[in-house]
């Protein structure tokens, strides 16, 4: 049965969730009170960020009238279900999560809830937040005890957010209180279509639901940093981390996914989420339990420094007067997100050491130019690599994997490539005359 839904927050999470809910047949009002221009853009069918499939989805659902946008909480007053999809960035100068946007949303939304409603938290928050919010909603909402909270963490991958919303690998509900059964049934109505396909639905308490997201991201970050730690050992021993990952990944207790050695993880989720998890564990008196995440974070940062070192080695020990080309600005392919981008941090570090650094990326250049104005930028690969002394592959876009290595060799000063993503065909680049280096692998030259 279609429901009236509100979605608060129009970042990558909220915008995608709103469009997907409308596509599932619900009537959705999507609201952003802090960035009203986003509501205007999305209402006009323009996405303010790159997410594959979202443009097409907006074009499909906007003409139906099931998806509208607003900038005032009052527009959400008549909805049955309200999704909180605002950001929880890292606090400036701290590891802890900044819940300013979540708390402001709760305060603003609660005051317009004059009838029974279900509020659903999707934002990534420290454990204990849901219980606090549930109490606050009942305190200030005119409907009082008739306003219930469910915590429904998101597990979206940037670049695959539409797919992960309508066909996730699991759906988690955190419920508590006397109305838990009815709340679960109401959320089942929201997700009726994906649930009908057999997607697992897990029901648990607030704290466990909050910890599912924190634990999942911490595990993925740990697995990435583990193979990058092995990369460091491989470099010291003259071994090949790719062959190593293939061998251990065959073990079904380990698996090959997320064992790709490289420059590490970035973006707006993994780095800040593991730090917030550590901070919250400290507040709960469980700091030793997550002390290993400090090393996970440290390994991740070291890989960026190692990429700078490799590039400097290929520039005869100094970047002064050298030209460095960087393929990639986004923190991952299929995104224009540059938050905590390893590629841009490496590029900026090299620039500060004296090189002229030119960056290219299929989608992220507008964002990169704003955040790192002192770097040079080029719209295409050949322009970025012209007269380069070394080329760094730092975001795994298919365009870079499939590029004509022989053609590129003709425009660079020195055909030296350092693969920071470890997904290029080594033989093809070597056959085209390139010296090929990569994190965790022996020097491969012609």
């Amino acid at each position: 049965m279609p429901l009236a839904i509100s979605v608060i927050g129009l970042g990558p999470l909220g915008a995608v969730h709103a469009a997907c809910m409308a596509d599932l047949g619900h009537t959705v009002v999507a609201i952003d009170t802090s960035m009203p221009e986003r509501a205007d853009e999305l209402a006009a069918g323009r996405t303010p960020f790159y997410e594959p499939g979202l443009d097409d989805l907006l074009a499909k659902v906007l003409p139906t009238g099931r998806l509208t946008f607003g900038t005032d909480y009052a527009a959400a007053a008549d909805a049955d279900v309200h999704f909180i999809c605002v950001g929880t960035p890292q606090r400036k100068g701290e590891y802890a999560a900044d819940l300013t946007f979540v708390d402001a949303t709760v305060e603003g939304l609660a005051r317009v809830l004059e009838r029974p409603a279900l509020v659903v938290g999707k934002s990534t928050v420290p454990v204990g937040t849901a219980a606090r919010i549930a109490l606050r909603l009942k305190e200030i909402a005119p409907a009082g005890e008739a306003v219930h909270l469910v915590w429904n963490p998101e597990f979206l991958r940037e670049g695959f957010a539409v797919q992960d919303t309508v066909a996730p690998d699991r759906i988690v509900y955190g419920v508590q209180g006397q109305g838990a059964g009815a709340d679960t049934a109401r959320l089942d109505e929201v997700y009726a279509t994906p649930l009908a396909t057999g997607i697992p639905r897990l029901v648990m308490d607030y704290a466990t639901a909050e910890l599912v997201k924190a634990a999942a991201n911490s595990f993925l970050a740990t697995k990435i940093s583990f193979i990058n730690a092995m990369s460091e050992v491989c470099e010291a021993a003259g071994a090949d981390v790719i062959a190593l990952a293939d061998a251990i990944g065959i073990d079904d207790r380990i698996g090959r996914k997320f064992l790709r050695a490289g420059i590490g993880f970035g973006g707006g989720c993994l780095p800040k989420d593991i730090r917030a998890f550590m901070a919250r564990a400290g507040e709960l008196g469980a700091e030793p339990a997550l002390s290993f995440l400090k090393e996970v974070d440290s390994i991740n940062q070291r890989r960026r420094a190692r990429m700078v070192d490799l590039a400097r080695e290929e520039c005869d020990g100094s970047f002064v007067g050298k030209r460095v080309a960087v393929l990639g600005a986004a923190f991952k392919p299929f995104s224009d997100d540059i938050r905590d981008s390893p590629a841009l941090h490496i590029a900026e570090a090299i620039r500060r050491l004296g090189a002229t650094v030119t960056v290219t990326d299929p989608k992220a250049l507008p964002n990169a130019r704003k955040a790192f104005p002192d770097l040079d930028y080029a719209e295409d690969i050949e322009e970025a690599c012209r007269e380069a002394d070394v080329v760094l592959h730092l975001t795994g876009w298919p365009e870079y994997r499939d590029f004509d290595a022989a053609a590129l060799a003709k425009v660079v000063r020195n055909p030296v490539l350092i693969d920071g993503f470890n997904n290029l065909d080594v033989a093809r680049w070597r056959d085209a005359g390139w010296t090929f280096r990569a994190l965790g692998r022996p020097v491969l030259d012609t």
Side-chain angles (χ1 to χ4, degrees):
M1 174 181 174
L3 297 171
I5 290 174
S6 81
V7 175
I8 314 299
L10 291 178
L13 167 60
V16 171
H17 193 72
C20 287
M21 292 300 101
D23 192 42
L24 292 177
H26 303 297
T27 300
V28 182
V29 56
I31 297 167
D32 199 311
T33 61
S34 62
M35 299 183 71
E37 65 276 8
R38 282 197 169 180
D40 293 338
E41 285 186 74
L42 289 162
R46 299 188 300 270
T47 54
F49 45 81
Y50 178 66
E51 180 59 50
L54 183 55
D55 282 334
D56 292 339
L57 191 56
L58 285 173
K60 177 183 178 183
V61 298
L62 284 173
T64 69
R66 292 196 302 268
L67 176 60
T68 58
F69 296 89
T71 59
D72 192 312
Y73 291 113
D78 294 329
D80 304 304
V81 181
H82 308 269
F83 285 93
I84 297 175
C85 296
V86 296
T88 54
Q90 188 174 333
R91 282 185 204 161
K92 191 172 183 179
E94 300 180 37
Y95 272 11
D98 184 348
L99 298 181
T100 300
F101 298 114
V102 169
D103 289 337
T105 296
V106 170
E107 297 291 319
L109 176 63
R111 298 184 192 285
V112 304
L113 300 182
E114 297 183 352
R115 63 186 187 88
L118 184 64
V119 176
V120 184
K122 294 199 72 69
S123 302
T124 301
V125 296
V127 62
T129 304
R132 176 176 63 80
I133 287 175
L135 290 174
R136 186 59 179 158
L137 285 168
K138 294 181 186 301
E139 287 174 356
I140 61 177
E145 294 291 328
V147 176
H148 294 179
L149 178 74
V150 174
W151 213 261
N152 172 219
E154 58 86 10
F155 303 101
L156 306 188
R157 300 165 296 164
E158 288 192 46
F160 302 90
V162 173
Q163 171 188 326
D164 290 345
T165 300
V166 297
D169 55 13
R170 79 283 209 194
I171 299 175
V172 172
Y173 301 167
V175 298
Q176 282 182 201
Q178 293 182 344
D183 296 340
T184 297
R186 176 50 59 94
L187 206 49
D188 282 348
E189 291 182 60
V190 173
Y191 293 121
T193 300
L195 288 173
T197 67
I199 290 168
R201 188 262 271 153
L202 299 91
V203 181
M204 57 199 67
D205 57 78
Y206 286 159
T208 307
E210 291 166 315
L211 284 172
V212 169
K213 179 62 184 291
N217 276 0
S218 295
F219 185 85
L220 294 178
T222 300
K223 195 169 183 181
I224 295 167
S225 283
F226 169 81
I227 199 60
N228 281 335
M230 294 304 99
S231 178
E232 294 181 15
V233 176
C234 284
E235 290 179 15
D240 189 328
V241 73
I242 300 301
L244 174 65
D246 288 341
I248 65 175
I250 291 173
D251 188 330
D252 61 9
R253 297 169 301 174
I254 298 172
R256 187 61 172 83
K257 286 185 177 180
F258 283 83
L259 288 181
R260 184 188 297 279
I263 55 176
F265 54 82
C269 291
L270 286 189
K272 64 99 174 172
D273 285 354
I274 65 169
R275 293 165 190 159
F277 200 14
M278 284 188 279
R280 184 58 178 149
E283 293 168 355
L284 294 171
E287 183 176 2
L290 297 185
S291 60
F292 72 95
L293 289 180
K294 293 181 180 178
E295 182 57 20
V296 168
D297 200 11
S298 177
I299 292 167
N300 192 55
Q301 296 301 316
R302 286 204 303 270
R303 303 321 288 157
R304 304 180 187 192
R306 179 57 180 152
M307 177 58 72
V308 174
D309 290 342
L310 286 181
R312 182 163 38 203
E313 289 175 19
E314 294 301 329
C315 289
D316 302 321
S318 174
F319 287 120
V320 176
K322 303 294 185 178
R323 299 185 64 86
V324 177
V326 171
L327 306 184
F331 87 94
K332 61 174 289 185
F334 308 108
S335 173
D336 64 352
D337 193 343
I338 63 163
R339 289 176 294 175
D340 200 13
S341 164
L344 288 174
H345 283 219
I346 290 165
E348 178 64 9
I350 291 173
R351 184 198 68 79
R352 290 179 178 177
L353 291 171
T356 298
V357 182
T358 305
V359 179
T360 188
D361 189 280
K363 296 294 180 180
L365 289 191
N367 291 337
R369 285 189 174 102
K370 293 176 186 175
F372 293 87
D374 294 326
L375 295 170
D376 292 339
Y377 296 94
E379 296 296 330
D380 62 65
I381 298 172
E382 290 194 357
E383 182 186 354
C385 294
R386 198 165 304 282
E387 295 298 314
D389 294 283
V390 62
V391 177
L392 309 184
H393 173 233
L394 301 184
T395 307
W397 288 97
E399 290 93 325
Y400 305 149
R401 186 178 64 242
D402 300 333
F403 201 78
D404 187 338
L408 197 61
K410 297 176 181 178
V411 305
V412 298
R413 184 178 299 159
N414 294 310
V416 177
L417 177 81
I418 306 178
D419 185 5
F421 209 74
N422 265 315
N423 76 335
L424 299 180
D425 184 336
V426 177
R428 187 163 64 84
W429 286 83
R430 290 184 67 195
D431 290 347
W434 289 78
T435 295
F436 190 101
R437 300 196 69 177
L439 294 170
R441 310 189 74 180
V443 178
L444 300 170
D445 58 23
T446 56

